[in-house]
Amino acid sequence: MAFIITSPCKTEKAGECVEVCPVDCIEEGEDMFYIDPDICIDCGACEAVCPVEAIYMEDEVPEEENEYIELNRKFFEDR
């Protein structure tokens, strides 16, 4: 999994990330967006445009946001 969307998305949910993704790997959930790890090509376009800096490379997710790694996985497992 390359990128993870974290808690700032819950309060903003702006959607610029969806608009710039070249492979349409970002899906809208009930309260935030999620990145499909099977489709993501690690281009970083989403990270660059996020107005609330909610998107991180998985290995750079701040410790206090680590729960979002599992939330992202579960979002796509349950589909």
Side-chain angles (χ1 to χ4, degrees):
M1 183 180 314
F3 289 91
I4 301 292
I5 299 176
T6 60
S7 66
C9 184
K10 288 184 132 180
T11 56
E12 181 67 27
K13 203 175 176 187
E16 285 93 332
C17 56
V18 176
E19 296 170 17
V20 300
C21 181
V23 293
D24 296 324
C25 71
I26 302 172
E27 293 188 29
E28 186 172 0
E30 188 174 312
D31 57 354
M32 62 182 285
F33 290 99
Y34 298 89
I35 297 174
D36 188 331
D38 293 330
I39 300 173
C40 180
I41 59 170
D42 305 341
C43 71
C46 58
E47 182 182 30
V49 300
C50 182
V52 293
E53 300 178 358
I55 304 173
Y56 295 89
M57 291 283 297
E58 182 176 357
D59 60 356
E60 296 176 3
V61 171
E63 190 174 328
E64 66 273 10
E65 299 285 332
N66 276 343
E67 69 184 282
Y68 288 88
I69 296 171
E70 186 61 27
L71 287 173
N72 191 80
R73 283 191 188 112
K74 284 183 181 272
F75 181 82
F76 292 101
E77 285 175 1
D78 294 344
R79 302 187 135 244

